[in-house]
Amino acid sequence: MNKEELFEEVLRELIAWYDQQRPGPGREPERYVVCAGLAVLERMKASYPLRQEDYITPKNQVRTSGPLIREILARFGETRNYASEGGRTTRGTRTAADSLVERLNNCACRDQLAALDPNDRGDIVHGLQGWLAEKVKEYFNQQRLEVEVDLSKPGPQIVGDILAAAAERKMAGAVAQHLVGAKLALRYPHLVIENYSYTTADQQLNRPGDFVVGDTVFHVTVAPMPAVLEKCASNLRNGYRPLLLTPESRLAAARQMAESLGIEKSTGIFPLESFVGQNVEEMAEFGKEKLAEQMRNLLLKYNERVAEAETNRALLIDVPANLGGNSDD
């Protein structure tokens, strides 16, 4: 059995162990399980078969810690804070670690693994930790978007903060579209505001833009390009009133593109943050207490629409505690 075959054999053991740790069908194991796996594998570099003293401290804890897990994950480009204690203080970590060690020590290729020089075994361990690191990345990619809502700020600035948080996770475009959809749905509850996935192209559904209210077509984009202005020109030719919403920082570029098509005076181009945030301020009657209520309503409506239209649950926003209640209300 060569090194690649050995890796595949041990990886099968790791995957079987991981699946064994799932709390239910289709559910991912808790974070402490992944921490236990990463820490045990780290000890495997220096010692194999593993003895209890290799991975358990005299105080009967798994030899893991927050810094250790951060260091391992950083090797794979994952620098977000996954587990501050690295699973060290969680009771189940020891059980998970023992279970993995039993599998590793009794796998079919035990003798070949034991005969490897430390460098070759290190290469195999690196590959196994990489598999677990991918699980960590999947974990983060499935987490709801966390935002801070500072109620001392004006509504447009709060919306700007939400878009900035979304941009860090490279999902500002989708968040912007659904925030505008949520705002329109709240503002006009008697109307049906269309709700499609962010990745659904307008042409696929033969629709003139992202939303249509009355004879106005709304286009939402965080990165205006000539193509969206050409859609606005097409809207005008077809009797619609186009309205382009884009972040304030991109207004000048959008207006310049509109000028190049000669539609700058017939196309509304407005800051997205103000379009959503100002309306929330108005519904809150410009009061701080009601602003919290209205921001909460906006985010709940946003989540409702995202849940209807999107398969990517990472687009859901975790409603901040200072808006009251929890995000699952």
Side-chain angles (χ1 to χ4, degrees), residues 18 22 25 27 32 37 46 48 51 75 80 165 178 187 222 317:
Y18 185 86
R22 295 181 187 274
R27 296 177 60 189
Y32 72 81
Y48 182 82
R51 302 162 300 177
R75 295 173 200 157
R80 289 169 285 188
H178 287 298
R187 181 64 181 82
V222 296
I317 293 178

Side-chain angles (χ1 to χ4, degrees), residues 73-102:
L73 291 176
R75 295 173 200 157
F76 301 95
E78 179 51 70
T79 57
R80 289 169 285 188
N81 185 21
Y82 182 60
S84 57
E85 298 290 333
R88 183 177 56 83
T89 57
T90 305
R91 186 175 298 176
T93 306
R94 169 69 191 268
T95 303
D98 286 342
S99 172
L100 178 58
V101 169
E102 184 176 353

